[in-house]
Amino acid sequence: MKPTPSVDMPRFAGVPTFLRLPAVADADRVPDVDVLLCGVPFDGGSSYRPGARFGPRAVRDASALARGFSAALGIDVFEELRVADGGDVPLSPHDIGAAIAAVADRAEAIARSGVIGGYVGGDQTVTLGALRGIHRAKLKSVGLVHIDTHSNTAGPAWGQDIHHGSVVRHAVAEGLIRPEWSVQIGLRGPYSSGGDLAFALSNGFEIVDIDEVKWDLHSAVSTLRKVVRQGPIYLSVDIAALDPAHAPGVGVPWPGGMSTWELQQILRALVGSEIVGFDVVEICPPFDHADLTAHAGVMVLQEILAAIADTRRSARPAPSTHDSRGGRISA
């Protein structure tokens, strides 16, 4: 499955889909693809700005400018991967528990089929549902690569234990992720106290904060490469990891974040890792300007797919240099 060519349908026309990919008509059936992208229009776990429920629609609209070739990796993504738009996960906008369960059911079905699920949110509670579904399907924990502003290991808020700021704590408590295979990148706060990172650090997470990214990006990338080689990973990108100059439409904005280029370099470092699922969350269109955040979300999807495609290309056996009789094939 490949994107609709612009010679067949102009980029400003047609029904929007993620990256202009074919849409799956039957939402209850996992198609024969390598990666299935699903929208999760839910923001009931947000603590500040609402509006991330409109994120999937905004990313589909911004996908008009998507392209398939990664110049950085030298690969045509859709020559290596079959990818489709799996529609939106149907869920209640008012019930956090039911919404997470709906995401988990969808993620489980996708993982059991051997397909990589990519989830476009929606707030960060999307991540907990996806991790639960993958865990049920594979019956094993995975590492977490979490690119964000905050560690999301907070306690209950206003009597609600599960919200977008607590999902990583729940993932650890439920055994969904292996902390020793996990890394959080780009954290910058602001923090409520000096102990805001204590949970992640005490559980063995690798922390690469924004100062490390800014002062020594090469070292940050090297740390990520070391962590993700330990086992299969789930990747979660909270778009608020970007500075508001690059992504103003987020649920919790704060200055001092990454540039889009820095985020690209980090995502390209995932080549060679085993990504079993991923999400892009906290895109909040009501607060976006000139669709900058939605376009950043498209960029993140393209970089993740390029990393998966390049990993698969590298894993293929090299062409034989011998003929069927054992003789060497001349150049």
Side-chain angles (χ1 to χ4, degrees):
M1 292 186 172
K2 295 184 178 182
T4 301
S6 59
V7 295
D8 295 338
M9 179 66 72
R11 294 184 179 277
F12 51 80
V15 177
T17 62
F18 292 127
L19 309 184
R20 293 171 58 87
L21 291 161
V24 177
D26 185 357
D28 294 325
R29 182 181 64 86
V30 178
D32 185 19
V33 295
D34 301 304
V35 181
L36 188 63
L37 302 176
C38 300
V40 188
F42 180 77
D43 58 11
S46 299
S47 61
Y48 189 55
R49 286 175 168 177
R53 66 182 62 185
F54 300 109
R57 181 169 293 182
V59 172
R60 287 189 175 99
D61 286 339
S63 290
L65 291 176
R67 303 291 201 281
F69 184 77
S70 168
L73 300 180
I75 191 169
D76 188 319
V77 172
F78 301 110
E79 290 295 331
E80 297 288 333
L81 295 177
R82 298 164 301 162
V83 190
D85 184 328
D88 287 347
V89 177
L91 41 74
S92 166
H94 304 297
D95 188 328
I96 294 178
I100 292 175
V103 177
D105 289 344
R106 184 70 166 140
E108 180 181 5
I110 292 171
R112 286 192 184 280
S113 71
V115 172
I116 298 172
Y119 306 94
V120 180
D123 66 48
Q124 185 86 71
T125 52
V126 169
T127 305
L128 185 58
L131 285 170
R132 283 178 176 175
I134 291 170
H135 189 266
R136 293 200 310 240
K138 297 183 177 295
L139 300 179
K140 64 179 180 180
S141 303
V142 299
L144 175 68
V145 175
H146 181 212
I147 302 172
D148 201 346
T149 306
H150 299 93
S151 186
N152 291 352
T153 56
W158 302 293
Q160 180 64 50
D161 194 25
I162 296 178
H163 52 88
H164 70 165
S166 70
V167 294
V168 174
R169 172 173 60 84
H170 282 277
V172 173
E174 295 175 24
L176 308 179
I177 59 176
R178 296 187 61 166
E180 70 274 16
W181 291 359
S182 300
V183 58
Q184 295 187 306
I185 301 176
L187 305 190
R188 68 183 188 275
Y191 302 121
S192 299
S193 72
D196 275 17
L197 298 181
F199 182 93
L201 291 170
S202 65
N203 278 280
F205 279 65
E206 189 80 42
I207 302 292
V208 180
D209 66 21
I210 191 62
D211 289 344
E212 294 177 74
V213 172
K214 291 288 186 181
W215 286 110
D216 194 345
L217 181 59
H218 183 271
S219 176
V221 165
S222 297
T223 298
L224 174 60
R225 285 178 172 153
K226 178 187 69 175
V227 173
V228 300
R229 294 304 189 274
Q230 298 180 91
I233 62 165
Y234 183 88
L235 168 65
S236 179
V237 181
D238 181 336
I239 208 73
L242 292 172
D243 190 272
H246 300 273
V250 298
V252 183
W254 192 254
M258 296 183 205
S259 69
T260 49
W261 180 82
E262 288 163 338
L263 180 53
Q264 285 176 323
Q265 306 315 303
I266 288 169
L267 293 172
R268 290 167 189 167
L270 294 169
V271 172
S273 61
E274 182 187 351
I275 297 175
V276 299
F278 61 89
D279 63 54
V280 184
V281 296
E282 298 288 348
I283 296 170
C284 196
F287 297 93
D288 206 1
H289 172 69
D291 300 326
L292 291 175
T293 314
H295 285 297
V298 174
M299 176 273 290
V300 170
L301 289 178
Q302 290 187 277
E303 293 292 347
I304 295 171
L305 290 175
I308 294 171
D310 199 15
T311 300
R312 294 201 174 191
R313 176 178 64 177
S314 301
R316 283 202 307 267
S320 175
T321 56
H322 294 78
D323 62 22
S324 60
R325 296 167 295 178
R328 186 170 182 81
I329 301 173
S330 59

